[in-house]
Amino acid sequence: LMERMPVTQISVLDIGRITFYALPALASFIFPVTFLMGVMFVFSTLAQRNELTAMKAAGVSLKRIVLPVILFGAVLSGAVFLIADRCEPWAFNRLTRLVAVDMPLRMSLEMLPTGVMHEFGDWRVYLGRRDPDGMLHDIVILQPSKEGANAFYAASAGIKEIDGKKHIELKDGLFIPADPRQHFMFQSLTKEVPAPGTRKLSTSSDGMTTSQLFAEEKRLGKSFEETGALPVGIELHKIRLEIKNRLAFPLMCLAVSLVGAPLGARSKRAGKSFAFSIGLIIIAGYFALRKLVELPVLLPLAVTVGLGQIPNLLLCVAGLLLIWRVDRV
């Protein structure tokens, strides 16, 4: 949709709004990754400076030190879920409306790129070239009618405003109606410019809250049971995957908090490069496993959600084992 907009019609404010509306969709990825790296670096630094050893000597167990990290990971998981459930659908709907409705309504006929056929309202318009003063040359306009389509060809044209509405004044041209026998040439012909067209706002799972996703899954599931239609099954599969992601990604914050702190504590004098490398391996393994359990077949909702939690469960089990043994570091 953005490619259809002339560059001159896109402002810095538009780019800023698009960037802002895109941020909530990245929260599910950014929060867990940055949280894991932060935890790894902090505990790696504590280990390098022997501060963990000093705490153990003072009678403070490493399990006690790790506990606040785990609690914060749980809080962060709740925050990410709220962002994905509330902020992301709101931002997605605002983004699609901005690109599909608000920005096209600002588009003007005289600013269309030259050398390309455009859809403008119910017209199809071709502009050959444009002078610096705004005069248009080599214009072709195709206008639909009940009998077919009317075609206007003009050597030049200019835009002017009449009674608050924009009009295009075609000069030195040819008019070919749906019945070509009635064609005629003209020196000047003025036509009212139609309002710019907008795109239909299509429904998407990205614009639904979690409760709406469950309601849509129920509706599609019932429809698929009754009809067995393949398109319905494809949409049902997409909705179930979206529900799986909505529930799995937020819990990644809790999962990485369990495994990040004890691994960072074990880095000792290996340095931050060790913590960074281990963090990258964990992240790469998590997303690789996530793709492996995302089977390309329609499965029951409970099975789909359960498979999506496998990466989190593996991280949690590994983290609990490391925490159990962390005081031996």
Side-chain angles (χ1 to χ4, degrees):
L1 291 174
M2 287 291 292
E3 290 175 353
R4 299 173 183 269
M5 288 292 298
V7 175
T8 53
Q9 297 290 304
I10 303 175
S11 66
V12 176
L13 180 60
D14 293 328
I15 301 300
R17 292 171 67 187
I18 290 170
T19 304
F20 175 74
Y21 292 145
L23 284 177
L26 302 176
S28 298
F29 300 92
I30 294 175
F31 279 41
V33 172
T34 54
F35 182 55
L36 171 63
M37 289 300 185
V39 170
M40 293 283 291
F41 283 168
V42 167
F43 277 82
S44 175
T45 303
L46 291 176
Q48 289 177 54
R49 297 176 179 177
N50 295 317
E51 294 183 32
L52 294 178
T53 304
M55 292 180 187
K56 288 174 64 178
V60 181
S61 67
L62 291 180
K63 292 185 179 68
R64 182 177 174 185
I65 301 172
V66 170
L67 183 60
V69 177
I70 298 173
L71 293 176
F72 185 75
V75 173
L76 195 59
S77 290
V80 172
F81 176 77
L82 288 176
I83 292 174
D85 183 47
R86 298 296 175 181
C87 300
E88 184 177 342
W90 172 84
F92 178 82
N93 290 327
R94 293 297 297 267
L95 175 60
T96 53
R97 180 170 182 82
L98 172 65
V99 176
V101 178
D102 296 345
M103 292 175 65
L105 284 177
R106 300 202 309 263
M107 189 163 58
S108 56
L109 180 64
E110 63 271 24
M111 297 305 296
L112 292 176
T114 58
V116 182
M117 184 70 76
H118 298 275
E119 291 184 10
F120 194 89
D122 61 347
W123 288 4
R124 290 188 58 85
V125 182
Y126 174 86
L127 305 178
R129 60 186 177 89
R130 180 189 299 107
D131 289 340
D133 60 358
M135 181 63 69
L136 307 173
H137 298 275
D138 301 326
I139 303 97
V140 179
I141 298 176
L142 300 179
Q143 182 182 30
S145 65
K146 294 181 180 179
E147 296 78 17
N150 299 325
F152 299 84
Y153 303 88
S156 61
I159 304 296
K160 60 182 181 180
E161 194 167 309
I162 303 176
D163 297 331
K165 297 181 180 181
K166 284 192 173 183
H167 290 69
I168 183 170
E169 184 180 4
L170 304 171
K171 297 180 179 179
D172 301 323
L174 172 67
F175 170 62
I176 303 178
D179 184 358
R181 294 172 298 179
Q182 300 180 9
H183 72 280
F184 60 86
M185 300 182 67
F186 58 85
Q187 291 186 340
S188 178
L189 180 66
T190 301
K191 291 185 60 62
E192 182 179 341
V193 177
T198 58
R199 300 291 171 181
K200 183 180 179 181
L201 295 177
S202 59
T203 57
S204 171
S205 58
D206 294 319
M208 298 181 185
T209 63
T210 305
S211 60
Q212 290 173 335
L213 285 173
F214 276 107
E216 182 69 5
E217 190 277 337
K218 185 177 180 180
R219 184 187 70 82
L220 289 174
K222 183 178 180 181
S223 176
F224 185 69
E225 288 179 0
E226 294 174 351
T227 63
L230 182 59
V232 178
I234 293 174
E235 289 301 315
L236 180 60
H237 183 245
K238 291 180 181 178
I239 291 292
R240 287 178 176 174
L241 289 180
E242 181 64 28
I243 293 175
K244 181 262 294 182
N245 291 333
R246 288 283 179 92
L247 299 178
F249 277 140
L251 289 176
M252 185 182 175
C253 294
L254 177 60
V256 298
S257 70
L258 287 168
V259 74
L263 278 177
R266 288 175 177 270
S267 64
K268 295 184 179 179
R269 297 188 179 276
K272 293 182 179 180
S273 60
F274 172 82
F276 183 75
S277 300
I278 295 298
L280 284 182
I281 291 173
I282 293 173
I283 294 166
Y286 182 94
F287 284 101
L289 185 57
R290 168 183 168 267
K291 294 302 294 184
L292 286 175
V293 299
E294 197 170 276
L295 302 179
V297 294
L298 182 62
L299 299 172
L301 178 61
V303 176
T304 304
V305 172
L307 289 174
Q309 296 297 341
I310 288 179
N312 291 329
L313 291 174
L314 290 179
L315 283 181
C316 288
V317 170
L320 291 173
L321 290 174
L322 290 170
I323 290 173
W324 177 59
R325 297 173 58 86
V326 75
D327 282 312
R328 301 183 185 182
V329 178

